[in-house]
Amino acid sequence: MALHQLRALLFDPATFFENHPPRRTVGMATAVVLGVATLITAGTAVIGRLFAARIDATYTETVMEPWSDAQCSSFEEMGTMPEQCQIDEPVTREVDVGAEVWSEILRLLPLVFLSLVVFWLLIALALHLLSALFDARGGFGATLSAVGWGMVLELVSTAIGLGVIAATLYGTEFASDPELLLEQLQALTGGGPSVVSTLGTVLVALWQAYIWTYGLSRARSLSVGEAGIVTAPVAVVVLLLSL
């Protein structure tokens, strides 16, 4: 997307959707959503890697326990002794907590991508159904397109959120003791969103509602006022769920 097109989308959506009718830009809007989801997933991975790298804690994990003589006696007659019968003490290993955290983050990254795509589909579905209360015309694809363009703003809210997390990480000296580390993490995550994150969430929700209103107006042949009535409750629900 060219810079002047992005500027029009963000600050003059009426003109943007006049030049980019939702019915004709479904493919482009879909590409925008997938691109945004990819960037957010990548950003999450970067912050997650930085977070995991700052954790310098280990704990001892028992890998194998020795079996009792009673358990091993039956194997003596067979002539094959399991490894559990050949050790006298538990076998342990040192586990790197940072590596464990990074493995968990990697497992969650596909969910980050998928959640953004599902969010797009659900918002489009809600706006499409609610707009049917008026004399709306236009297919679901046009509504998907209108909502998809507004997903660009998810980059703003994510950048703010990840920025706050990065600042918190660099301002925190994590303990090397796993129990103390757990207490630190609970304290960091239990304090609720910061003022900056909350303001960013509110800003993005209102800004998206602004873009979606003009996009839905064009996609469903509604007046701007009618589209605003449809968009407002959806934006409120999104905002409440985000806080």
Side-chain angles (χ1 to χ4, degrees), residues 119 123 150 153-154 156-157 160 197-213 231-243:
F119 173 75
I123 294 300
L153 284 167
E154 292 298 317
V156 176
S157 61
I160 294 173
S197 296
T198 300
L199 291 177
T201 299
V202 172
L203 171 64
V204 168
L206 294 176
W207 208 343
Q208 279 184 323
Y210 171 59
I211 294 174
W212 289 342
T213 295
T231 303
V234 175
V236 169
V237 171
V238 170
L239 177 58
L240 292 177
L241 292 175
S242 301
L243 292 176

Side-chain angles (χ1 to χ4, degrees), residues 44-169:
T44 303
V46 170
I47 295 299
R49 190 71 187 94
L50 292 175
F51 171 47
R54 286 185 60 81
I55 297 177
D56 184 21
T58 60
Y59 67 90
T60 302
E61 179 184 55
T62 300
V63 177
M64 187 185 305
E65 292 276 3
W67 286 0
S68 66
D69 292 339
Q71 289 175 298
C72 297
S73 60
S74 60
F75 291 98
E76 291 181 0
E77 299 173 359
M78 299 170 57
T80 57
M81 295 293 287
E83 191 174 352
Q84 290 89 339
C85 296
Q86 301 175 33
I87 58 176
D88 298 321
E89 297 180 353
V91 177
T92 62
R93 70 182 181 99
E94 289 295 310
V95 179
D96 186 334
V97 177
E100 293 260 298
V101 169
W102 175 236
S103 296
E104 186 65 19
I105 290 172
L106 285 177
R107 188 181 67 82
L108 294 175
L109 287 179
L111 296 179
V112 174
F113 183 92
L114 183 61
S115 65
L116 288 161
V117 175
V118 171
F119 173 75
W120 167 49
L121 296 174
L122 290 178
I123 294 300
L125 180 61
L127 293 178
H128 194 78
L129 293 176
L130 287 176
S131 62
L133 298 174
F134 298 92
D135 187 22
R137 297 184 300 277
F140 183 57
T143 307
L144 276 175
S145 178
V147 175
W149 287 111
M151 291 289 288
V152 168
L153 284 167
E154 292 298 317
L155 292 174
V156 176
S157 61
T158 301
I160 294 173
L162 293 180
V164 170
I165 293 174
T168 302
L169 292 179

